[in-house]
Amino acid sequence: MFGRGNKALGVVIADMNGDRWPDIYVANDTTANFLFINNGAGTAFTESAQLLGGAFSSTGEPQASMGVAFGDYDRNGWPDLLLTHFTGESNTLYQNRGAQGLHDVSNLTGLREPSLPKLGFGTIMDDLNSDGHMDLFVTNGHIDPRYEESEGYEMVPQLFSFDGQRWRERPAVSGEFFARELVGRAAGTGDMDRDGDLDLCVVHHNSPAALLRNDSRSGRSLVVRLTGRTSNRSAVNAHVTLRCADETLVQELAGGTSYAASHERVLHFGLGALQGSLQLTVAWPAGTEQSFEIPAEQLSVQIVEGVGLVQGN
């Protein structure tokens, strides 16, 4: 497997076309991005980004891609991608439309203008306040201090919330960290205090890393921890479907994502105002499925392939 002209930085390993086999998306710096589609046997991959989308922005140009965020922001059951870029390029949101491929909807959803003056690296897509809508975190910072008086060197990080139609930047309610100018690089997630939401760890150039405790939860949530036995132990490529009332949410435990970081291997479901017990189904990479009913009061579950629920709170 090889892509010509590769300048790889960010990577996502996940099922992008719905066949339950892991594909590989590669974010390249100034050259076309790659989407390697699995042949369905795990023995070969076909580079398909120019056919299926995700190689170039909507203007047909390659961008200086750094980090990649992964998640289903529009809740259509297909995983979407957010790529961070150099100043003047804007970040790019690729909406996954299944058989129609990946489409650049950055401008349509309000992300283009706020990101144009920034140089983004690590990025996270998750429902950080559990209100039922996705949020986007991006850590920013230039690569060259000589730009301090023009484009800027230290930059503020950004947090966006999706309202169902557009992304809205929310610096005023995000905490004092989002007013600080820093040279951001890596960003990773984990439920550090085991309170049912995701906290952030952000690494900076020539300044201390920041551990951001998430106290913003405004709705119900569930954290799912998975351990594979027949499948890979980290459960990468496991799909979890969660049903509550008339709502169905689907997430995949992806490999990679963000930039120069590793995350706690968990899936976090923001449920907003949904009430009642949850019907949870795990489709393991090895091909088996397990289903469970999760009580309304439960904040987290741990599931072992072939065994079942082993703990929760």
Side-chain angles (χ1 to χ4, degrees):
M1 183 177 66
F2 176 77
R4 294 189 178 277
N6 74 86
K7 295 184 178 180
L9 290 177
V11 64
V12 172
I13 301 172
D15 176 18
M16 298 299 297
N17 64 350
D19 64 358
R20 293 299 174 94
W21 285 86
D23 309 302
I24 303 173
Y25 185 89
V26 180
N28 286 312
D29 184 5
T30 72
T31 60
N33 303 314
F34 302 141
L35 176 56
F36 294 101
I37 296 296
N38 198 315
N39 69 352
T43 57
F45 293 80
T46 303
E47 205 293 289
S48 306
Q50 296 191 40
L51 175 65
L52 297 177
F56 307 109
S57 70
S58 60
T59 60
E61 299 171 298
Q63 296 175 287
S65 300
M66 311 293 184
V68 187
F70 172 86
D72 182 11
Y73 83 93
D74 54 1
R75 292 192 168 189
N76 69 350
W78 295 92
D80 310 298
L81 303 173
L82 184 281
L83 273 64
T84 56
H85 294 120
F86 212 83
T87 52
E89 290 187 330
S90 89
N91 297 333
T92 301
L93 178 65
Y94 289 110
Q95 182 189 41
N96 191 341
R97 300 179 185 174
Q100 298 176 25
L102 299 174
H103 294 253
D104 178 358
V105 295
S106 314
N107 196 38
L108 293 174
T109 58
L111 285 175
R112 183 176 185 275
E113 292 299 324
S115 63
L116 272 174
K118 302 294 192 295
L119 200 166
F121 278 89
T123 180
I124 307 296
M125 186 189 304
D126 206 283
D127 184 359
L128 295 174
N129 64 351
S130 302
D131 67 351
H133 293 292
M134 282 291 190
D135 305 295
L136 275 174
F137 171 81
V138 182
T139 184
N140 298 304
H142 213 288
I143 61 172
D144 192 336
R146 291 177 296 179
Y147 285 85
E148 185 171 2
E149 301 301 322
S150 54
E151 296 179 3
Y153 179 55
E154 297 177 331
M155 298 177 176
V156 294
Q158 293 173 293
L159 186 67
F160 300 87
S161 292
F162 189 63
D163 66 6
Q165 298 294 325
R166 294 176 69 82
W167 295 91
R168 311 287 181 181
E169 192 169 3
R170 305 188 63 191
V173 297
S174 303
E176 63 86 20
F177 176 79
F178 290 85
R180 295 173 56 191
E181 293 187 341
L182 299 156
V183 183
R185 291 297 183 258
T189 59
D191 184 8
M192 312 294 182
D193 50 4
R194 293 295 191 260
D195 66 348
D197 55 30
L198 292 184
D199 309 295
L200 302 179
C201 182
V202 187
V203 176
H204 305 106
H205 181 63
N206 285 341
S207 59
L211 180 59
L212 305 179
R213 188 182 68 191
N214 186 353
D215 293 328
S216 64
R217 193 171 66 193
S218 60
R220 181 184 177 194
S221 67
L222 181 73
V223 172
V224 179
R225 295 178 172 85
L226 302 171
T227 302
R229 298 179 74 204
T230 304
S231 305
N232 65 89
R233 184 172 177 80
S234 296
V236 172
N237 194 223
H239 289 71
V240 175
T241 301
L242 190 150
R243 297 177 177 85
C244 184
D246 295 328
E247 293 284 337
T248 299
L249 303 177
V250 181
Q251 290 194 35
E252 178 180 355
L253 192 57
T257 82
S258 193
Y259 172 84
S262 182
H263 314 285
E264 183 185 10
R265 290 290 179 199
V266 301
L267 293 174
H268 169 257
F269 289 86
L271 303 174
L274 291 177
Q275 302 294 321
S277 62
L278 307 172
Q279 306 299 317
L280 186 151
T281 300
V282 182
W284 297 95
T288 60
E289 289 192 359
Q290 292 174 278
S291 295
F292 311 93
E293 182 168 347
I294 309 301
E297 66 276 8
Q298 199 138 345
L299 296 177
S300 68
V301 294
Q302 183 166 342
I303 301 170
V304 175
E305 182 180 17
V307 176
L309 293 168
V310 295
Q311 69 179 47
N313 63 283

